[in-house]
Amino acid sequence: MSVKILIVTGDAAESLEVLYPYQRLREEGYEVHVAAPARKKLQFVVHDFEPGFDTYTEKPGYTWPADLAFSEVDPGDYAAIVIPGGRAPEYLRNDPELRKILKSFFDADKPVAQICHGPLLTAATGSLTGRRVTAYPALELDMQAAGASFQDTEAVVDGTLVSSRAWPDHPAWMREFLQVLRAKAPLS
């Protein structure tokens, strides 16, 4: 029986923050499913920086099919969850099905990987209180308001929660997450 990992995302997720963990976890031998508000082809985006802009710009990115809708997810089927960033978390945090899914992972102390704006989702479940996290640096005040201690570094591990700032930090993020994952949900 394979060990399954769930990625939760939606339209306007950052392409690299969905596809890098998807491919890296599959390379490792895990079975990976993508869940979204509905089974459909998702439109991801690319966030990048342009000279003269005060913040990142957004361009169309890859499309990718969602394997299942949030309403179809049984959290008990999954050993861990990955929460990519981009703009998707801004509206996904309002989805009651997704909040229920996320809360179940925290309640069961299963591995959770979050990056960039992804922590907006875990903040919406009240799961960051007293935790150490990182996120996209512009979210420092949001993380503090959620009761977390913000650290501006590549990756932060707090128990089974592994967070990272953005796609340039992927190697540190996945290295740390895989250590947690191998300990909590080994492949053999």
Side-chain angles (χ1 to χ4, degrees), residues 54-73:
D54 292 328
T55 188
Y56 54 84
T57 61
E58 184 172 282
K59 300 165 182 71
Y62 294 105
T63 59
W64 199 263
D67 298 308
L68 63 167
F70 295 148
S71 62
E72 299 173 299
V73 172

Side-chain angles (χ1 to χ4, degrees), residues 40-159:
K40 68 173 203 161
K41 182 165 48 168
L42 299 168
Q43 176 64 61
F44 299 148
V45 297
V46 173
H47 288 149
D48 207 352
F49 292 90
E50 300 289 338
F53 280 68
D54 292 328
T55 188
Y56 54 84
T57 61
E58 184 172 282
K59 300 165 182 71
Y62 294 105
T63 59
W64 199 263
D67 298 308
L68 63 167
F70 295 148
S71 62
E72 299 173 299
V73 172
D74 178 354
D77 290 345
Y78 296 92
I81 193 166
V82 176
I83 309 164
R87 273 189 305 114
E90 293 174 13
Y91 68 90
L92 291 177
R93 63 184 162 176
N94 296 311
D95 188 304
E97 287 292 325
L98 179 53
R99 289 195 309 268
K100 196 166 39 174
I101 292 166
L102 291 172
K103 187 162 176 10
S104 72
F105 279 86
F106 280 95
D107 289 348
D109 197 33
K110 291 181 179 180
V112 175
Q114 60 183 11
I115 189 166
C116 195
H117 284 73
L120 290 173
L121 294 173
T122 52
T125 67
S127 301
L128 298 185
T129 304
R131 311 272 322 232
R132 292 177 302 107
V133 300
T134 194
Y136 188 71
L139 297 185
E140 180 176 0
L141 295 177
D142 298 278
M143 296 300 96
Q144 291 170 350
S149 170
F150 180 82
Q151 298 178 353
D152 187 5
T153 188
E154 285 184 322
V156 173
V157 179
D158 187 321

